[in-house]
Amino acid sequence: MDATTGNGAELESANGSGVSDALPPPPPVIPPNVEPVRVQTEVAVKKNLRVPMARPGFGSKGQKIQLLTNHFGVKVANLQGFFYHYSVALFYDDGRPVEQKGVGRKVLDKVHETYHSDLDGKQFAYDGEKTLFTFGALPSNKMDFSVVLEEVSSARTNGNASPNGNEEPSDGDRKRLRQPNRSKSFRVEISYAAKIPLQALANAMRGQESENSQEAIRVLDIILRQHAARQGCLLVRQSFFHNDPSNCEPVGGNILGCRGFHSSFRTTQGGMSLNMDVTTTMIIKPGPLVDFVIANQGAKDPFTVDWSKAKRTLKNLRIKVSPSNQEYRITGMSDKPCREQTFEYRPRNAPKNENGESETVEITVYDYFLRERNLELQYSADLPCVNVGRPKRPTYIPLEHCTLIPLQRYTKALNTFQRSALVEKSRQKPQERMNVLSKALKVSNYDAEPLLRSCGISISSNFTQVEGRVLPAPKLKMGRGDELFPRNGRWNFNNKQFVEPTKIDKWAVANFSARCNVRQLVDDLIRIGGMKGIEIAAPFDVFEEGHQFRRAPPMIRVEKMFEEIQSKLPGAPQFLLCLLPERKNCDIYGPWKKKNLTEYGIVTQCMAPVRQPNDQYLTNCLLKINAKLGGLNSMLSVERTPAFTVISKVPTIILGMDVSHGSPGQSDVPSIAAVVSSRQWPLVSKYRASVRTQPSKAEMIESLVKKNGTEDDGIIKELLVDFYTSSGKRKPEHIIIFRDGVSESQFNQVLNIELDQIIEACKLLDENWNPKFLLLVAQKNHHTKFFQPNSPDNVPPGTIIDNKICHPKNNDFYLCAHAGMIGTTRPTHYHVLYDEIHFSPDELQELVHSLSYVYQRSTTAISVVAPICYAHLAAAQLGTFMKFEDQSETSSSHGGVTAPGPVSVAQLPKLKDNVANSMFFC
């Protein structure tokens, strides 16, 4: 089974799946009197691993509602059969392994076509790399095949050596550019690895998940991917995008939002289902390469483009070259323009030297095209060339001969305007989404897929019916003893005061050239504050930015403003209002926040008034200002009362945990971990945050415990100490954790690594302290949607589903707490992984629902619990402190590789104590 060695990961994942059918490993040789200690300890450790808890029961509270969901029932007829897992190794005819991507599917299709009878007519499910599955066994455990492909290229790239590939290359060109992907003969080794019983799927639907059942579902998902690949789709995990211009909408900068479909198999309480949803990815608009570069940089013409930046953007994009129509992948750009960039080549009629080889001559790219190809360059003679060769053996193509081919993903971060255009153009009302999905299911024609048919798999064309319940909104408390029930997930402060308004005595305004009547704005703010119960004194002053600094770098502008404020203010202000000149992504924001929070400990609120702000805008700002200064706008009526049994009977802390990463192209920007915690028990409406950086893309939070000698400098200790001091010197006996942003495959790490670290932090504070834990994961990044039959509206806020399409065994539920105003509501999928407190299903679901109503920044229920939202906000705000350059420019977003080894991560500056305990992130 030598061909399987390149596929260790696949074999490892299949080891529990029937590898016994292959040659068994030899038994270990243990001398007589030797105790195999290591094995025993490993088994002992494994016994203590926590696993996601089973569902203790179903909720019953709330008004029942009949719903449809985008899960389509799947029947599996041949449950007695087996999937056979094979490892695939590809070699060139000279024995070198094939490493380039995109060749595998073509080679395996050719094997299937050429050796159909040798393979017993078996259909393949191939993942495009090193793994192949069949339904039923192949004739032999190890098979070798040789095939010849007429045209082979990585990702449809093919070409000759000469710069425009118009003619056969000369001998010299051949030698100069002989590259591995020119080989057309392949040897394919297919080696047996494991067998997977389809019966495992039936077991999974009864709640008995195993490695086998996960592998079986993986096979089914691979079949869907292969089905889409054969239709020429762009594949992004389990989402598929057709090359159809009618599915694409421009979002700016020659970037298109391309609409496609997500399809994946799930095991649910109601049996197997196919989850299908509409999804969007970003692609680069096909067409002349120069048009993309100009639009991407917002340049006037190619002569004002920053070509060093363009080089990083273009790397790895695929182009078609005229007039030959050959396809290449861009590897770089020339240092000099076409007119000056030279390379060595051998002309056809060049004199030969004594070895019989043609002599090389040096020629510019411009002259080569003019003399050899009879092509005069129209505008790119003075622009850099595109390199499609290797760095040491370049192949240069003038820019004007390059066209971007369709369906190429754009993975860099979108700017604010592109993001809002994408949201605007990709949203769909519930009925429209249902129609599009029904049509897509018909078009995909999965029933005709040969492998699905051989397993006896049939997919229903009807949306699955589920029963939901609409939980009543919790009663809220306002100022002056007012109480109200939100209607349709919303409320307002018309004629009402904040429940705990603050008082603002010492404050000032810093105006960075915002165009509005500042005196009027201040008067309006004081007036509206008074209506909401906040006493706001007149500001000490309005500090206007000097004209000479308006074009200075952001740091300088902030520095100069603070010099001005310090020279005139008699003492530290309680609060600074900052007026910014631009609405979106103002580059003063980060330096301003950093200066206030880390150097001076001043609470600050930024505004970007494009026109004179109205009362609604100023009320929204006051919600944030009041929360930041320690006030409360509204709270649950049951807070601070014995009626709130789940929280008030014993001291309880609520944690919200999240890690935010740079955009996909930013491989060297640190990730930011944020944990927020409730304070002043029995409140659940006040929080504080602790934020740390960690290595890029690390999902597990690394600083929960951070031993420094005998001290613990970790996040959890910081938050527990704050809870103790703010809650009347009480330690929490219950710790409720909401974790965001992790997938099912990481649940065990959250349960056994992060939870262990939180327990360790407790033990380091007090060895004898044993609080009880409740751990939930919240997921927004999934593809389940709910619809009201025969209604154009979204599901009502408070809709909860914990049956039929939920996990067959584990404790999970879907909640739509908010009112979906536009598009289709995306429910939050909550997974209860661990519960030592033993909440009843109704108690827990009501607590989660209530925590969607304590978000101080808005007067609406939000889609995910407030502690998680606050963790997002805290991470985002502190992220602006670190002035990262756009790292996505230096590492190719189309497949940059990060070097292994320990990474030193820039640390965030510490917040001043007086703001560290505040809701500065609000």
Side-chain angles (χ1 to χ4, degrees):
M1 285 187 48
D2 56 336
T4 60
T5 52
N7 195 24
E10 304 297 355
L11 278 178
E12 193 176 79
S13 70
N15 256 346
S17 325
V19 176
S20 53
D21 285 32
L23 289 174
V29 180
I30 302 174
N33 309 319
V34 173
E35 191 76 26
V37 179
R38 190 172 149 268
V39 177
Q40 284 195 346
T41 54
E42 271 192 7
V43 170
V45 170
K46 276 194 173 170
K47 271 185 188 165
N48 295 331
L49 286 183
R50 301 180 195 96
V51 294
M53 68 178 285
R55 182 186 305 281
F58 296 91
S60 59
K61 289 195 174 171
Q63 181 78 39
K64 289 187 173 157
I65 182 172
Q66 296 306 313
L67 302 169
L68 297 175
T69 180
N70 58 340
H71 284 238
F72 300 88
V74 173
K75 287 196 167 61
V76 188
N78 295 351
L79 281 170
Q80 303 318 306
F82 289 84
F83 283 131
Y84 282 73
H85 171 185
Y86 296 88
S87 292
V88 175
L90 300 179
F91 303 93
Y92 294 107
D93 52 1
D94 60 4
R96 286 175 300 115
V98 175
E99 284 167 0
Q100 70 209 64
K101 286 187 181 286
V103 178
R105 287 194 194 278
K106 291 179 182 175
V107 174
L108 265 288
D109 281 350
K110 189 75 175 174
V111 167
H112 194 263
E113 179 192 319
T114 313
Y115 298 98
H116 192 67
S117 55
D118 301 72
L119 296 161
D120 278 2
K122 288 270 182 284
Q123 298 292 334
F124 288 172
Y126 176 51
D127 73 348
E129 295 190 10
K130 296 179 177 175
T131 308
L132 175 80
F133 296 93
T134 57
F135 183 66
L138 292 177
S140 167
N141 271 3
K142 183 156 186 180
M143 305 182 82
D144 267 39
F145 302 101
S146 293
V147 289
V148 176
L149 286 192
E150 296 311 310
E151 249 185 60
V152 58
S153 56
S154 92
R156 297 176 287 173
T157 306
N158 185 28
N160 299 322
S162 52
N164 78 338
N166 199 23
E167 301 169 21
E168 271 296 299
S170 63
D171 289 349
D173 277 349
R174 267 202 196 92
K175 280 179 185 156
R176 185 168 71 85
L177 271 152
R178 186 168 291 143
Q179 294 182 358
N181 67 344
R182 299 296 180 259
S183 178
K184 293 188 172 114
S185 297
F186 293 88
R187 191 166 66 77
V188 182
E189 280 183 10
I190 298 177
S191 312
Y192 170 78
K195 79 175 184 184
I196 304 150
L198 259 71
Q199 188 59 44
L201 289 174
N203 297 344
M205 288 181 273
R206 289 195 296 272
Q208 298 161 14
E209 274 197 320
S210 63
E211 226 164 282
N212 272 339
S213 64
Q214 288 165 357
E215 278 290 280
I217 289 175
R218 180 166 159 249
V219 180
L220 297 178
D221 283 344
I222 285 171
I223 295 171
L224 296 185
R225 278 176 63 83
Q226 178 175 274
H227 185 69
R230 285 180 176 156
Q231 296 172 349
C233 290
L234 164 67
L235 310 183
V236 184
R237 293 179 292 279
Q238 284 302 126
S239 296
F240 317 126
F241 302 89
H242 287 269
N243 184 17
D244 179 354
S246 68
N247 287 338
C248 297
E249 290 280 0
V251 297
N254 270 29
I255 306 300
L256 308 175
C258 179
R259 196 173 74 186
F261 298 95
H262 167 92
S263 290
S264 64
F265 286 99
R266 317 271 306 171
T267 49
T268 69
Q269 290 170 31
M272 279 282 292
S273 71
L274 176 74
N275 177 207
M276 196 162 183
D277 194 21
V278 180
T279 183
T280 304
T281 194
M282 310 316 299
I283 62 169
I284 293 170
K285 184 180 177 181
L289 182 65
V290 70
D291 289 357
F292 168 65
V293 176
I294 292 169
N296 182 254
Q297 294 193 10
K300 287 202 301 284
D301 54 46
F303 304 101
T304 54
V305 162
D306 175 346
W307 286 103
S308 61
K309 192 174 175 184
K311 176 181 178 180
R312 297 189 288 263
T313 306
L314 297 180
K315 190 169 183 199
N316 284 327
L317 290 181
R318 300 196 311 277
I319 52 168
K320 190 173 272 188
V321 172
S322 64
S324 67
N325 268 353
Q326 302 286 6
E327 285 183 13
Y328 295 91
R329 190 180 288 278
I330 297 174
T331 55
M333 304 284 289
S334 63
D335 297 327
K336 297 175 183 170
C338 289
R339 227 185 264 286
E340 298 169 25
Q341 183 65 54
T342 59
F343 67 97
E344 290 198 353
Y345 99 113
R346 292 186 171 91
R348 279 189 191 77
N349 306 320
K352 293 188 166 39
N353 59 19
E354 62 268 23
N355 298 332
E357 288 183 346
S358 306
E359 298 203 0
T360 60
V361 297
E362 197 164 287
I363 189 170
T364 67
V365 175
Y366 178 83
D367 288 338
Y368 176 88
F369 274 80
L370 189 61
R371 293 181 204 165
E372 297 290 322
R373 303 288 179 231
N374 202 20
L375 292 168
E376 186 165 1
L377 301 182
Q378 300 301 306
Y379 64 83
S380 56
D382 297 310
L383 297 171
C385 317
V386 172
N387 180 13
V388 296
R390 287 177 292 177
K392 290 185 179 168
R393 287 187 171 177
T395 302
Y396 293 121
I397 317 266
L399 208 65
E400 64 191 69
H401 288 287
C402 302
T403 303
L404 286 162
I405 66 170
L407 288 184
Q408 298 194 69
R409 276 186 86 201
Y410 181 77
T411 54
K412 291 190 170 58
L414 298 181
N415 64 37
T416 315
F417 303 106
Q418 288 172 325
R419 263 204 311 274
S420 54
L422 176 64
V423 170
E424 179 70 36
K425 290 174 177 177
S426 59
R427 65 189 182 205
Q428 289 174 306
K429 286 283 185 195
Q431 286 298 322
E432 184 192 348
R433 186 173 287 251
M434 286 180 78
N435 294 338
V436 168
L437 286 174
S438 294
K439 189 174 157 195
L441 189 59
K442 277 197 190 79
V443 170
S444 60
N445 196 17
Y446 288 136
D447 287 341
E449 217 304 316
L451 250 175
L452 292 180
R453 284 174 72 176
S454 58
C455 314
I457 285 178
S458 57
I459 300 167
S460 164
S461 57
N462 298 322
F463 286 76
T464 298
Q465 292 187 335
V466 291
E467 184 176 84
R469 291 170 289 114
V470 182
L471 299 179
K475 197 196 303 182
L476 299 182
K477 193 173 179 182
M478 311 287 184
R480 296 186 298 208
D482 286 346
E483 291 188 320
L484 63 78
F485 281 104
R487 293 180 60 179
N488 197 31
R490 311 175 79 77
W491 64 98
N492 61 54
F493 280 100
N494 296 346
N495 307 316
K496 291 188 174 56
Q497 291 193 355
F498 296 155
V499 67
E500 286 182 9
T502 50
K503 193 174 177 188
I504 304 174
D505 296 324
K506 299 180 202 157
W507 70 292
V509 181
N511 182 16
F512 286 97
S513 317
R515 296 189 194 94
C516 69
N517 182 336
V518 181
R519 294 288 163 198
Q520 181 68 53
L521 186 150
V522 168
D523 289 347
D524 289 346
L525 196 69
I526 292 171
R527 172 177 59 82
I528 296 164
M531 289 160 63
K532 305 300 164 218
I534 303 178
E535 281 182 48
I536 307 177
F540 175 81
D541 203 351
V542 174
F543 296 95
E544 298 281 354
E545 181 177 42
H547 288 286
Q548 69 272 35
F549 302 125
R550 286 186 182 179
R551 298 196 182 282
M555 304 282 282
I556 303 293
R557 294 175 73 178
V558 169
E559 229 19 274
K560 295 295 178 191
M561 180 62 83
F562 259 94
E563 283 173 18
E564 175 80 358
I565 292 169
Q566 274 183 303
S567 67
K568 294 192 177 158
L569 271 189
Q574 178 190 4
F575 166 68
L576 282 175
L577 179 66
C578 172
L579 305 180
L580 298 172
E582 296 113 36
R583 182 75 174 274
K584 300 282 186 190
N585 292 349
C586 181
D587 52 10
I588 298 169
Y589 181 87
W592 173 261
K593 287 286 183 186
K594 182 179 175 184
K595 193 89 172 161
N596 277 276
L597 297 175
T598 65
E599 292 184 33
Y600 292 98
I602 298 171
V603 170
T604 173
Q605 175 63 47
C606 292
M607 268 188 211
V610 181
R611 57 185 76 84
Q612 201 62 30
N614 60 19
D615 286 10
Q616 183 61 60
Y617 180 96
L618 293 173
T619 303
N620 288 345
C621 285
L622 281 163
L623 290 173
K624 298 164 77 169
I625 292 166
N626 191 48
K628 286 175 182 178
L629 289 168
L632 265 181
N633 305 325
S634 61
M635 59 196 273
L636 303 174
S637 289
V638 292
E639 282 183 72
R640 292 206 183 106
T641 73
F644 201 17
T645 50
V646 292
I647 299 295
S648 60
K649 61 185 172 192
V650 299
T652 302
I653 187 172
I654 298 174
L655 304 179
M657 300 173 29
D658 183 43
V659 178
S660 71
H661 308 290
S663 61
Q666 297 176 306
S667 60
D668 27 20
V669 171
S671 292
I672 298 180
V675 184
V676 303
S677 62
S678 61
R679 53 201 313 267
Q680 296 179 18
W681 174 80
L683 281 181
V684 294
S685 293
K686 276 195 179 177
Y687 293 82
R688 60 98 75 198
S690 180
V691 186
R692 310 283 170 94
T693 50
Q694 59 185 44
S696 180
K697 305 292 184 277
E699 189 49 69
M700 291 299 114
I701 299 178
E702 299 195 354
S703 307
L704 295 171
V705 171
K706 200 172 182 186
K707 286 185 187 162
N708 183 3
T710 55
E711 279 299 300
D712 173 13
D713 293 336
I715 290 174
I716 297 300
K717 178 191 172 182
E718 183 186 326
L719 299 176
L720 289 173
V721 168
D722 173 72
F723 180 89
Y724 182 76
T725 53
S726 71
S727 304
K729 300 228 157 84
R730 290 184 186 87
K731 282 185 278 201
E733 290 178 38
H734 290 172
I735 297 179
I736 298 174
I737 304 161
F738 288 95
R739 178 66 160 96
D740 187 38
V742 289
S743 61
E744 275 97 332
S745 62
Q746 295 165 315
F747 285 179
N748 284 335
Q749 286 172 278
V750 172
L751 270 169
N752 295 294
I753 299 173
E754 288 187 342
L755 184 53
D756 272 354
Q757 289 186 358
I758 294 169
I759 292 168
E760 185 185 357
C762 295
K763 291 291 184 192
L764 287 170
L765 281 169
D766 179 352
E767 182 60 42
N768 300 315
W769 176 31
N770 295 305
K772 291 180 176 170
F773 289 90
L774 168 67
L775 171 57
L776 298 94
V777 167
Q779 289 179 334
K780 292 277 287 180
N781 199 10
H782 60 83
H783 289 278
T784 296
K785 301 285 193 302
F786 297 102
F787 307 91
Q788 294 198 64
N790 310 316
S791 166
D793 297 328
N794 270 307
V795 298
T799 299
I800 198 158
I801 295 96
D802 63 0
N803 59 68
K804 198 150 185 183
I805 59 145
C806 290
H807 195 280
K809 177 186 172 196
N810 296 353
N811 190 4
D812 66 329
F813 59 90
Y814 291 91
L815 174 62
C816 302
H818 63 302
M821 304 309 286
I822 50 175
T824 306
T825 299
R826 178 181 296 202
T828 299
H829 192 184
Y830 290 98
H831 302 260
V832 188
L833 299 189
Y834 192 68
D835 181 12
E836 292 179 311
I837 302 170
H838 303 305
F839 279 105
S840 74
D842 279 325
E843 280 177 328
L844 182 53
Q845 291 170 9
E846 281 189 305
L847 173 65
V848 171
H849 186 226
S850 296
L851 287 173
S852 304
Y853 280 82
V854 299
Y855 188 58
Q856 298 297 306
R857 282 165 52 115
S858 72
T859 55
T860 60
I862 52 173
S863 62
V864 69
V865 289
I868 280 178
C869 270
Y870 289 145
H872 281 306
L873 290 172
Q877 185 160 132
L878 268 76
T880 66
F881 287 15
M882 304 189 80
K883 189 60 186 161
F884 302 123
E885 294 312 314
D886 183 8
Q887 301 289 1
S888 60
E889 301 298 346
T890 53
S891 66
S892 161
S893 67
H894 307 280
V897 179
T898 313
V903 185
S904 65
V905 178
Q907 292 304 306
L908 289 165
K910 241 178 126 43
L911 301 186
K912 289 285 182 192
D913 288 347
N914 54 325
V915 288
N917 292 335
S918 75
M919 288 175 66
F920 67 85
F921 43 81
C922 231

